[in-house]
Amino acid sequence: MASSKNEKGKKVIIVGGGLVGALNACFLAKRGFQVEVYERRPDIRTQEVVKGRSINLALSCRGREALRAVGLEEKITGEGIPMFARMIHNLDGSKKSIPYGKRDQSIMSVDRRHLNELLLSAAEKYDNVTLHFNHKITRCDFEKPQATFLREDEGTTVEVPGDLIMGCDGAYSSVRQQLMKTTRFDFSQEYIPHGYLELSIPANKQNEYAMELNYLHIWPRNTFMMIALPNPDKTFVGTLFMPFKIFDSIKTNDDLMKFFKDKFPDSIPLMGEEALKESYFRVKALPLVSIKCSPYHVSDKAVLMGDAAHAMVPFYGQGMNCGFEDCLVFDGIMTKYKNDFSKVLPEYTDTRNIDAKAMCDLAMYNYIEMRESVNSKMFLLRKHVDNMLNWLMPNTWVPLYTTVSFTRIRYHQCISNRQWQDKVLKNTLWGSVYAAIIGGAFALRRTGVTMETIADVGKDLINNIFLKA
């Protein structure tokens, strides 16, 4: 496939051939750059088993727009499964659904490996893209710039000069580690006390889906939870999220079955006891980390994107979408400054950093919502209020989840909008409380209940609505 613009002679070195690296290769190839992608792993398209994270992904608006920009949206969404709502599995076996947005709004369940394979193949179709596998980066010289790789299958070293080094090599990014050694760099990481373990729900005896199809299934249990997303092959990928201390306390098959019978009884016949035991003890639970850093660039020579810049816990389904949007934002700034890296990279950091940090915070917040708040009547009340006001004022009142998943409103502005909504609702409710207090003042005196007590009750009620929404 030929490139559409002429940047012949300029080379971009992309470190990491995962989702964001492969998509960036497509964007840059369209601009005419010579693109070389270096990936530490073997080519996943040739492997039967691929090590690493395999939690199913939830593709939403931001990711879809990025894919659309390189002509891949229809291909990828055509192989995904839309999920229109959460399906909540209660402890007693009953279920309830909570829509994500309006009837036609859905997020898309997509398989991580398959998506990565499609993106690599799409990048490879450009005649100005070269993919290199089994190459481990060992050093970055940001002044030249130049990257040094160890070719692990041969034990040889190769030095690769270029015009830009793009670090798309994940949460434990080697490019970021190199960058931290050479510049003033702010960095923070936080491991939450919860890990995750993948489980599987096969097709039923009729070779059909064992649960309702177009839902993200959630078993919320306050301090931990399990989720399941559908696959095209009639299976569900389940993921158990809970504190490591609980994982560590389950040592035997009996421990495991007692735990699941107590906490997820309806899931046992879906997975099968023997399959559950085999899956649970086959591998250890993996950690979850949130990473923030700044700046994302070094002069006009290097830039970080995706998890290398802003790893987040997976509870808002925005990790991939945020990374894909990185590519789209970067591409827009490239157009603005006509591919001038000296102007593009600083503006990219200034523009993207505040949004990525906001999304990391939202991802942490949503874990509380998914495992706990969805059981709260106050949470459901707030959802109904938001939906009603959105129906009445669609351009003024847009719920937080809708702005994050179904629009491209900047992440930090999504939070600001929510804070404004909270303030409006609190002021409105306080007005109602005060009116009720004044109207019933004489009756209250007769019962012996003070106005201060009623005000405190009203305050607790209002705060509950917002704290648990």
Side-chain angles (χ1 to χ4, degrees):
M1 186 184 297
S3 56
S4 59
K5 298 183 182 179
N6 185 19
E7 284 293 344
K8 189 174 181 180
K10 289 188 176 182
K11 182 195 292 185
V12 178
I13 303 164
I14 298 179
V15 183
L19 299 175
V20 174
L23 181 58
N24 261 322
C26 296
F27 273 100
L28 292 164
K30 286 184 67 177
R31 290 187 171 276
F33 289 95
Q34 187 67 35
V35 182
E36 296 201 18
V37 181
Y38 290 85
E39 168 59 43
R40 180 175 181 175
R41 299 172 299 175
D43 187 345
I44 62 172
R45 295 170 296 178
T46 67
Q47 305 296 300
E48 288 189 16
V49 178
V50 176
K51 294 182 179 179
R53 292 176 62 186
S54 56
I55 298 174
N56 262 34
L57 301 168
L59 178 66
S60 56
C61 173
R62 298 169 198 270
R64 292 180 66 151
E65 285 205 20
L67 293 170
R68 187 181 311 150
V70 294
L72 294 174
E73 182 191 17
E74 289 188 9
K75 169 67 173 174
I76 289 166
T77 57
E79 298 181 10
I81 298 175
M83 300 180 294
F84 295 94
R86 297 164 172 164
M87 180 64 76
I88 308 302
H89 293 246
N90 298 313
L91 193 58
D92 63 4
S94 62
K95 302 176 187 177
K96 64 183 176 187
S97 65
I98 303 176
Y100 283 118
K102 298 177 182 178
R103 287 186 178 182
D104 60 338
Q105 290 178 323
S106 65
I107 58 178
M108 186 76 59
S109 176
V110 294
D111 178 80
R112 177 187 298 272
R113 174 177 176 173
H114 184 57
L115 176 56
N116 201 170
E117 290 176 345
L118 289 175
L119 288 172
L120 287 171
S121 295
E124 201 170 41
K125 289 180 180 178
Y126 290 92
D127 54 17
N128 49 331
V129 173
T130 305
L131 306 181
H132 305 269
F133 299 97
N134 298 299
H135 280 71
K136 175 185 177 182
I137 189 164
T138 59
R139 185 174 182 272
C140 293
D141 184 334
F142 296 117
E143 292 184 3
K144 291 184 177 180
Q146 179 174 286
T148 303
F149 297 91
L150 171 65
R151 183 165 182 175
E152 295 189 310
D153 55 346
E154 295 184 356
T156 58
T157 298
V158 57
E159 294 183 343
V160 184
D163 295 282
L164 177 70
I165 298 172
M166 183 173 281
C168 303
D169 50 338
Y172 303 101
S173 168
S174 295
V175 176
R176 187 184 66 233
Q177 291 176 11
Q178 295 284 322
L179 192 150
M180 292 170 67
K181 297 175 182 178
T182 58
T183 64
R184 295 189 301 274
F185 191 80
D186 292 327
F187 172 79
S188 67
Q189 70 176 28
E190 178 184 358
Y191 283 97
I192 65 173
H194 299 71
Y196 74 93
L197 184 71
E198 187 173 292
L199 304 169
S200 180
I201 297 175
N204 62 21
K205 293 180 179 179
Q206 292 74 41
N207 198 32
E208 297 294 338
Y209 287 98
M211 299 186 294
E212 296 85 352
L213 174 57
N214 297 114
Y215 295 88
L216 190 157
H217 292 261
I218 306 177
W219 290 257
R221 299 298 182 260
N222 296 324
T223 58
F224 53 88
M225 70 174 181
M226 186 167 64
I227 67 172
L229 282 74
N231 290 318
D233 65 357
K234 308 294 180 66
T235 67
F236 286 83
V237 174
T239 311
L240 178 60
F241 298 96
M242 64 184 184
F244 278 103
K245 64 180 181 180
I246 300 180
F247 277 117
D248 293 341
S249 70
I250 300 173
K251 301 181 184 300
T252 67
N253 286 337
D254 289 343
D255 293 339
L256 177 65
M257 296 317 302
K258 182 179 186 306
F259 176 76
F260 265 76
K261 287 175 182 177
D262 288 343
K263 304 301 182 183
F264 308 111
D266 65 324
S267 73
I268 297 174
L270 297 173
M271 289 185 278
E273 286 195 21
E274 295 308 313
L276 172 57
K277 294 171 185 175
E278 195 277 331
S279 296
Y280 187 91
F281 291 108
R282 183 177 64 244
V283 294
K284 291 184 177 181
L286 297 175
L288 294 164
V289 65
S290 178
I291 290 174
K292 301 176 184 177
C293 66
S294 182
Y296 291 155
H297 73 286
V298 180
S299 63
D300 62 344
K301 305 300 185 186
V303 65
L304 300 173
M305 288 196 191
D307 283 356
H310 46 68
M312 61 191 67
V313 293
F315 306 117
Y316 223 113
Q318 284 296 304
M320 172 189 64
N321 293 289
C322 185
F324 281 2
E325 191 177 47
D326 288 350
C327 306
L328 196 57
V329 170
F330 189 82
D331 187 64
I333 299 173
M334 288 279 278
T335 297
K336 178 179 178 180
Y337 291 115
K338 298 180 180 179
N339 301 340
D340 184 346
F341 293 146
S342 67
K343 295 178 180 178
V344 170
L345 270 58
E347 180 154 329
Y348 175 75
T349 286
D350 291 343
T351 300
R352 199 61 179 152
N353 191 254
I354 185 174
D355 289 320
K357 287 179 176 177
M359 190 59 244
C360 287
D361 293 337
L362 280 171
M364 285 288 199
Y365 154 81
N366 209 49
Y367 185 34
I368 299 172
E369 176 175 310
M370 290 179 72
R371 76 180 194 234
E372 179 178 345
S373 298
V374 291
N375 290 321
S376 165
K377 291 181 180 180
M378 291 299 182
F379 169 80
L380 296 175
L381 173 61
R382 175 60 189 268
K383 291 283 287 187
H384 289 311
V385 170
D386 278 336
N387 290 338
M388 179 187 69
L389 292 174
N390 178 239
W391 179 74
L392 292 171
M393 303 176 288
N395 297 322
T396 302
W397 196 281
V398 185
L400 174 62
Y401 190 91
T402 297
T403 60
V404 171
S405 296
F406 302 121
T407 78
R408 285 203 56 221
I409 295 172
R410 293 181 63 181
Y411 287 125
H412 81 278
Q413 291 175 344
C414 295
I415 294 177
S416 297
N417 289 346
R418 172 65 173 219
Q419 291 170 341
W420 171 79
Q421 292 169 358
D422 286 351
K423 184 176 181 180
V424 169
L425 285 181
K426 280 188 176 182
N427 289 341
T428 301
L429 288 174
W430 267 119
S432 300
V433 170
Y434 282 133
I437 291 174
I438 293 171
F442 292 104
L444 292 174
R445 287 182 180 178
R446 292 176 183 176
T447 63
V449 178
T450 66
M451 293 179 66
E452 289 80 2
T453 299
I454 296 299
D456 287 341
V457 171
K459 181 179 179 181
D460 288 342
L461 174 62
I462 293 170
N463 284 336
N464 250 322
I465 292 175
F466 297 95
L467 289 174
K468 294 190 177 181

